[in-house]
Every structure is written in structure tokens, then in C-alpha cells.
Amino acid sequence: MSKRIITVLLTLLSLNSFSQKENKEDSIILKKLYDTSLLNGKSYSWLDYLSNQIGGRLSGSINAQKAVEWGEKELKELGIDKVWLQPVMVPKWTRGVTEFAYIETTPGNTTNVPICALGGSVPTPIGGVKKPIIEVKSLDDLKTLGTDKIKGKIVFFNRPMQADLISTFNAYGGCVDQRYSGAAEAAKYGAVGVLVRSMNLRLDDFPHTGAMSYGDLANMDKIPAAAISTNGANLLSSMLKLNPKIKFHMNMNCRTWKDVKSYNVIGQITGSEFPNEYMAVGGHLDSWDLGDGSHDDGAGIVQSMEVLRLFKEIGYKPKRSIRVVLFMNEENGLRGGKKYAEIAKNKGENHVFALESDAGGFTPRGFSFDCDVDNFKQVQSWKPLFEPYLIHYFALGGSGADIGPLKKDGIVLAGLRPDSQRYFDYHHAKNDTFDAVNKRELELGAATMASLVYLFDNYGVK
């Protein structure tokens, strides 16, 4: 055997030995993170307070400000290097009294159905609006029907989420355009209101709110927009088939106010070797107002805070500066995420990695990544470290709304991906409450996030 071949073999053996040593050390760190989260975690008690003592946190509300103060206080109590508030102007919209709606088959014969105003909607006229209703399945149907068949009516968008898609987020994306743009498009054909089937795969009586936009419509042309529960939508559709001349009544007194000042809440552990390389982990502090926002996105908030606490608990000192960012106003404006990225750019901060949790506090399955091929190959090499915790999903494509504005060449953006099958049962609805979150699932998610942050901190970005 030649000396050259012997040298190559010895080199390969040395590299393999080094790799095995690295994997063993990493496995030990990950086990510490999971053990600490499951045996001595704080995410669940944090969420208990945020959900049950503060509640729904719509941007610009008193509760949103209480959540800011709570987040700042809890991060300071962790004893991390720096905690601060980052001002951001946010929209302020209020729902007013509970909405009311009914189906009228003949004068005096009515059936009540559950609705809620979509976020940003204008109110109905005082006393409500009662008009004939026309059912459509898509925005394109409006063009087919035209002004003659739509003018003076309430348009009922009744396209359900596609149940045979395993990814419920893909099912959501396939029909959310009717909620977001339905009112703007229907108004162009003379509609006087819009009713949208709730974005929910389950049949229940909870209407699901969410952001909508009027585009460039003048204020005088805006029409009220509401969501109807899935049971209500099925009932209304069936009744329309029997009697196309039925009328629908809805009453809402929501209102849009001037923008108000709010804050992103930021905490930082400064890196020991590369303090000017920043890694961000976060979720959004605001929520809709119907429930208490435990899954969307209280879970992501407390899991992100727990990442920093877990590092301190196990004595891990990051090489790079790690920030937790509690973003404000993801739900109806994304102002917090945009402001954070704007200030980071203006300061010349070098963000190399960002991770977001905004898909509920369910059992973690893995991550999605927005990055180049080399960094994704590195991620795939870590997959065996996660498999003992049943984390198997590592895919290219998507990260998170709040960290999206940070995107640039060289940065790795990632999103925690929990099991999604139940998420839209609660998303933007009254039943998104603390009791819907499982303690163990929440803690597993926090440890999974901390593990990925540790690996990128330890090995860096390619």
C-alpha cells in the first residue's frame, strides 16, 4: 500500500472520529435542552399568564400594551444582557358589540347564525343591513355573474378549505383570498356586503376572523365584511338551494381609528466570539380579540422566550448574539416585523439566522427553511440528532411572516413546523384559548427551537 493511500485513509479515519465526537457532544446538549424544557420548563406558566391574565391582544389595544409590559418584565427577570422596547406605529381597529345575523326565509321567519366582523371591516349602517344574498365559490365567479346579478346584494363566498391536502396551511392558502380581497372585489360590482365561510376544516359554530383589505377603494365605496361559521355556511348554502330569494341580515359596529404607538419587545444574549453576528428567534405578541390567542401566537412567544432561558439554565454561552423578538402587529399589518428589519438594516446589523414560531403550540414535527442549498445540506446533516425526539420534517420553502423582511443573501430563515391538523380549528376564533394547548407539546416545541438555534450558533451559516 502506498504512503499516499495510507495518508488518505488516516485522514478519513481522523475526520470520522472528529465527526462522531461532535455528534456525541451535540446529542448531549440537545438532551439537556429537552430534559430542562420538559422537567423544568417555564413556557406553559408564561402562556397561562399571557392568556388568562391578559387575554386577547389586538394591536393598539390596552391588552396589547399590557402584553408589552409583561414581556419586558419577564425578559429582564431572566438576567440576560439587554432588554429594550422598539417603538412601532400600528393600526387600531375595534370590534364593538357582538355581531348579530340571521337568515330570513319569509318576513318574520328567521334563523340566527354565528358571524364575526373581519379585521379592518367597516360597520354596517345603524340597525344593520338586510338584503338578498348570492353564493359564489371564487373571486372569478364575480366576473362571470357581473354587476346585474350582484348589485344591491350580499355576496356569500363559500369555498371551503381543501380537506384532502395533508398540509392544512396549503389548504388555508388555497382559499384565504376570498377573505382578504372578497369585499374589495365584490364592491366593484355593486355588492352591499360580504359574507365569507370561515377558514376552518372542522364543522362548528365558531366564526373565524382575520385580516381583510379594501385595496384602493375610496371610503365611501367600502362595504361591511364578516365571517360565518362553517355550520352556518352549510346551513345558508342549503337554504339558498331551496329558496334563492331568502335574505340575510347582519349588524356590526366595528371601527378603524388612527394609528397608535406600540412596541416590539427585544431581549439579547451577546455572543462570546461573534457579537456582531445576530440570530433572532421570535413570534408575534399581538393576537385577534375573539379568544386569548394561545395558539396564535402566544405559544410562539413563550417558546421563543424559553430558548434564551434554556441556554441560561444549561450554562450554554452562545458564540453569536441571540435575540428574542416579540413582534407586534403581525395579524393586521406586519408593522413590527417590517420595523425590526428596517432598523436592523439602518444600523448595519448582520443577521445570519432567524427562526419563527407561528403555527400553534402543537407537537413539533420539524422545520421549513428559506436558505441556499449549502445551508440546507448542513441542516440535513443534523437530522439524526433530532430523530430521537421524532423530529423528521426538514424542508425547503417558507419561514415566517415576521422574519421575512430580514431576507437577504446569506441569511437562513426558518419556521418551526408543528403538526398542523388541528391548528385551523382554533385559528382566529373564540376557542383559541389556553385550555386548547397541551403542556408537553408546547415544551417539546420550545426545546426543538432551542436545539436548532444552538446548532446554527455552534456551526455558523455556510
Side-chain angles (χ1 to χ4, degrees), residues 221-238:
D221 295 327
K222 295 177 180 178
I223 59 177
I228 183 171
S229 71
T230 48
N231 277 338
N234 285 352
L235 175 64
L236 177 57
S237 182
S238 297

Side-chain angles (χ1 to χ4, degrees), residues 152-165:
K153 296 179 180 178
I154 295 172
V155 172
F156 169 36
F157 289 95
N158 190 32
R159 183 166 81 257
M161 291 174 64
Q162 191 174 334
D164 59 345
L165 293 178

Side-chain angles (χ1 to χ4, degrees), residues 135-427:
E135 180 177 348
V136 300
K137 297 294 184 182
S138 69
L139 299 179
D140 289 338
D141 285 353
L142 300 176
K143 301 175 185 177
T144 302
L145 290 168
T147 302
D148 288 345
K149 294 184 179 179
I150 294 175
K151 188 174 182 179
K153 296 179 180 178
I154 295 172
V155 172
F156 169 36
F157 289 95
N158 190 32
R159 183 166 81 257
M161 291 174 64
Q162 191 174 334
D164 59 345
L165 293 178
I166 301 303
S167 170
T168 60
F169 281 89
N170 288 342
Y172 176 75
C175 62
V176 75
D177 63 334
Q178 59 192 334
R179 188 195 76 200
Y180 189 76
S181 303
E185 294 303 313
K188 296 175 183 177
Y189 296 91
V192 296
V194 158
L195 193 64
V196 181
R197 183 188 183 94
S198 288
M199 305 292 111
N200 179 14
L201 284 158
R202 186 173 69 176
L203 293 176
D204 61 28
D205 295 316
F206 296 107
H208 294 232
T209 191
M212 51 87 64
S213 170
Y214 289 109
D216 57 2
L217 283 182
N219 287 336
M220 62 181 295
D221 295 327
K222 295 177 180 178
I223 59 177
I228 183 171
S229 71
T230 48
N231 277 338
N234 285 352
L235 175 64
L236 177 57
S237 182
S238 297
M239 293 176 74
L240 276 168
K241 287 179 175 65
L242 294 173
N243 180 10
K245 295 182 179 181
I246 62 176
K247 293 183 178 180
F248 193 84
H249 168 89
M250 60 183 184
N251 190 10
M252 312 188 306
N253 66 346
C254 41
R255 182 175 174 182
T256 298
W257 308 77
K258 290 182 179 179
D259 288 358
V260 299
K261 182 187 283 189
S262 190
Y263 304 89
N264 292 328
V265 185
I266 306 171
Q268 177 176 303
I269 297 176
T270 303
S272 58
E273 295 183 29
F274 310 104
N276 294 323
E277 290 187 9
Y278 295 96
M279 303 176 65
V281 56
H284 63 88
L285 193 53
D286 64 305
S287 76
W288 285 107
D289 56 318
L290 296 176
D292 60 46
S294 288
H295 276 298
D296 186 21
D297 184 29
I301 286 295
V302 299
Q303 287 172 331
S304 299
M305 294 166 63
E306 184 75 337
V307 170
L308 270 62
R309 194 193 74 87
L310 289 174
F311 286 164
K312 288 188 68 68
E313 283 290 311
I314 70 170
Y316 176 70
K317 296 181 180 180
K319 298 177 180 179
R320 293 160 178 83
S321 293
I322 299 179
R323 287 179 180 171
V324 57
V325 186
L326 315 184
F327 294 99
M328 182 56 69
N329 184 234
E330 186 271 349
E331 292 292 5
N332 59 335
L334 204 67
R335 301 276 185 89
K338 291 177 180 177
K339 177 59 70 171
Y340 181 81
E342 174 191 331
I343 291 177
K345 182 178 180 181
N346 291 342
K347 288 185 174 181
E349 293 176 343
N350 180 26
H351 280 73
V352 296
F353 173 81
L355 169 63
E356 184 170 331
S357 172
D358 185 17
F362 302 101
T363 302
R365 297 300 187 200
F367 304 93
S368 62
F369 296 90
D370 186 353
C371 64
D372 60 26
V373 174
D374 288 339
N375 277 295
F376 188 60
K377 285 181 179 178
Q378 177 173 238
V379 168
Q380 289 178 308
S381 74
W382 298 332
K383 192 173 180 180
L385 294 168
F386 287 93
E387 287 178 344
Y389 307 99
L390 304 181
I391 308 298
H392 301 94
Y393 179 79
F394 294 79
L396 277 172
S399 55
D402 278 311
I403 62 174
L406 286 170
K407 186 171 181 176
K408 62 176 183 177
D409 290 341
I411 193 172
V412 174
L413 302 178
L416 179 69
R417 292 293 171 254
D419 186 290
S420 71
Q421 302 311 312
R422 291 172 289 156
Y423 181 62
F424 290 98
D425 294 353
Y426 306 98
H427 185 246

